[in-house]
Amino acid sequence: MQLYFSPLACSMATRIALYEVGAEASYHAVDLVAKTLEDGADFRAINPMGQVPTLRTDDGVVLTENGAVLQYVADAFPAAGLAPTSAVERARLHQWLSFIGTELHKGVFAALLSPLLVDAPEATRDYARGRLPQRLAVLEQHLTGREFLIDTYSVADAYLATVLVWTSATNVSLAPYPALRAYHARILARPAAARAFSEERDLYVASRPA
Ligand SMILES: N[C@@H](CCC(=O)N[C@@H](CS)C(=O)NCC(=O)O)C(=O)O
């Protein structure tokens, strides 16, 4: 498999999942502003949206969108148990993947991370920041007394842990959300997540202008 990624972007969730399942994969950095690969090739020839994660499977199929890519990795390695198969639990997984993708990632953090990727106007950033407490409170309540988002560790945890990494770059404190903060530390301490985070942090630092 080939994962197109950008350091510390949402594609880190897929790297975590690939490490968790022990998949053989190669990793290709994308410049998300220029929309180019390291050899200068136009990334939009692979994904017209120019977004990561983009995954090319061993059969040459190109997959995009976090929810789809993460579930594909989980389903390709069922023994790792990163996605449940029963209808209700699978719907719960989908529920959390959608929540993270729409309510947190795109609905809040995409604007807060401005101007790193998009240049959101001040008013948009204020609006996004105002939406955050309710969403974090929902997570805090759900994770109080729970180890994972669903009954077992899943690709949704890899995605949420990745999005929560952005709290430090956006001055969002998790102090008012102790269960969520403990959850984040717990997920990032898993060997696959710790490895992915450490590698991508190094790549991110190396990619910044001196
Ligand atoms: N809807 C996409 C959004 C992915 C996305 O926004 N990825 C960001 C990095 S975290 C990106 O590639 N941004 C560059 C851009 O949107 O041009 C998904 O869920 O996978």
Side-chain angles (χ1 to χ4, degrees):
M1 277 190 257
Q2 295 169 290
L3 176 66
Y4 296 93
F5 79 101
S6 176
L8 300 184
C10 52
S11 46
M12 191 175 88
T14 304
R15 184 189 289 268
I16 293 172
L18 290 168
Y19 288 173
E20 284 276 356
V21 301
E24 262 183 44
S26 57
Y27 297 84
H28 306 269
V30 178
D31 180 330
L32 289 178
V33 176
K35 305 292 182 200
T36 51
L37 298 170
E38 275 170 327
D39 63 2
D42 188 347
F43 175 57
R44 283 166 299 200
I46 298 168
N47 177 355
M49 287 296 288
Q51 292 178 328
V52 296
T54 297
L55 186 76
R56 184 179 281 115
T57 71
D58 291 339
D59 299 326
V61 176
V62 172
L63 296 172
T64 64
E65 302 294 322
N66 279 287
V69 169
L70 287 167
Q71 289 186 81
Y72 171 79
V73 172
D75 288 341
F77 296 86
L82 293 187
T85 50
S86 84
V88 169
E89 274 302 286
R90 190 57 174 245
R92 284 268 177 250
L93 174 70
H94 207 170
Q95 173 192 314
W96 284 113
L97 288 170
S98 297
F99 178 87
I100 300 160
T102 60
E103 303 299 337
L104 281 181
H105 174 187
K106 298 304 268 190
V108 170
F109 281 99
L112 294 190
L113 285 164
S114 168
L116 281 178
L117 281 179
V118 290
D119 212 358
E122 188 82 34
T124 305
R125 275 183 265 167
D126 288 348
Y127 175 71
R129 199 171 282 279
R131 284 155 65 97
L132 193 51
Q134 186 214 5
R135 284 150 178 77
L136 295 180
V138 166
L139 288 168
E140 174 71 11
Q141 190 183 18
H142 180 69
L143 288 166
T144 299
R146 297 185 63 96
E147 205 175 340
F148 307 117
L149 284 169
I150 59 173
D151 285 348
T152 53
Y153 179 74
S154 74
V155 285
D157 297 304
Y159 191 13
L160 180 54
T162 296
V163 169
L164 292 176
V165 162
W166 303 335
T167 53
S168 55
T170 53
N171 292 323
V172 171
S173 171
L174 290 184
Y177 313 98
L180 182 58
R181 192 160 65 166
Y183 161 87
H184 193 213
R186 197 162 61 240
I187 301 299
L188 284 185
R190 294 175 66 91
R195 178 183 161 205
F197 185 36
S198 152
E199 290 176 357
E200 294 218 356
R201 205 170 28 194
D202 289 349
L203 288 170
Y204 181 80
V205 169
S207 73
R208 304 310 294 164

